[in-house]
Amino acid sequence: MSTDALFDRPDVTDADPDGPAPLPSYTGYATRVGNTWVVEIRDLPDDRTATAQGRTWREAKTATGNAIGEHLPAGHDGFGIQLAPADPDADAAITALIEARIALVYAEQAVRDAARHAARTLIDQGWNNRDTGAALGLSHQRVSQIAPRGA
C-alpha cells in the first residue's frame, strides 16, 4: 500500500501556546420524542438551563446554539456547541468513533514523520529519488518533496 496520498493532508501541529484563549463550550443532551429532538442544555451561566428542539439533528444543533446565545451576556466572544445523545449507549458509540478518527489522524502523522525521516536518511546516504521512493512505497516526486536534496 502506498502512503503517498497521506502527504496531501496537512500535518498535525501543536496549538500556539500564545494563541487566543479557548472559547467556552456548552453541551446539549438530545432525546428523540416522537418526530422531534428535544435538547436540554445544562451548565449555562448562573446555573441556568435551556431547552431547544428540532426535527433533524442539524436543526436541533442550530436551535441549541440559538438557545445558548440567548442565555449569554451581550457582547460575548462566541462559544462552542456540542450536541450529544442523552442515551449513554448512543453517546458512547459516537464518542468511540470520534476517538478512533482522532487516533487515525495522529497515526497518519506518525507515518508522515517516519517517511520523512526514512527518506532523509536514504537521500543522505546517497540513494537516488527513484530507489528511495521504491524502497519506501512513495513516488520519486514525493521523495523530492519531503526530502529535498541539499536541505
Side-chain angles (χ1 to χ4, degrees):
M1 176 182 110
S2 172
T3 56
D4 208 50
L6 289 176
F7 290 94
D8 294 331
R9 297 190 184 113
D11 282 340
V12 176
T13 59
D14 293 330
D16 179 5
D18 297 326
L23 295 173
S25 184
Y26 302 96
T27 301
Y29 299 93
T31 303
R32 190 75 175 165
V33 178
N35 292 331
T36 303
W37 286 104
V38 177
V39 182
E40 180 183 8
I41 308 132
R42 306 175 202 136
D43 301 323
L44 291 167
D46 299 326
D47 293 322
R48 288 181 282 171
T49 62
T51 59
Q53 62 183 14
R55 289 181 308 118
T56 66
W57 192 260
R58 279 195 175 105
E59 285 179 10
K61 188 169 186 177
T62 299
T64 299
N66 293 338
I68 292 168
E70 291 173 6
H71 286 81
L72 297 179
H76 62 81
D77 290 335
F79 54 90
I81 303 168
Q82 175 68 35
L83 188 57
D87 176 77
D89 292 337
D91 187 45
I94 292 171
T95 299
L97 175 61
I98 291 167
E99 289 172 355
R101 286 177 173 160
I102 291 168
L104 177 60
V105 167
Y106 282 104
E108 288 177 345
Q109 183 63 50
V111 170
R112 285 191 296 273
D113 292 343
R116 287 182 182 115
H117 176 74
R120 179 83 271 144
T121 298
L122 300 180
I123 294 298
D124 288 348
Q125 289 181 359
W127 290 46
N128 66 39
N129 287 357
R130 288 193 186 279
D131 289 342
T132 298
L136 301 179
L138 299 170
S139 68
H140 68 278
Q141 295 95 335
R142 187 65 74 182
V143 171
S144 295
Q145 179 188 31
I146 66 172
R149 295 202 178 269

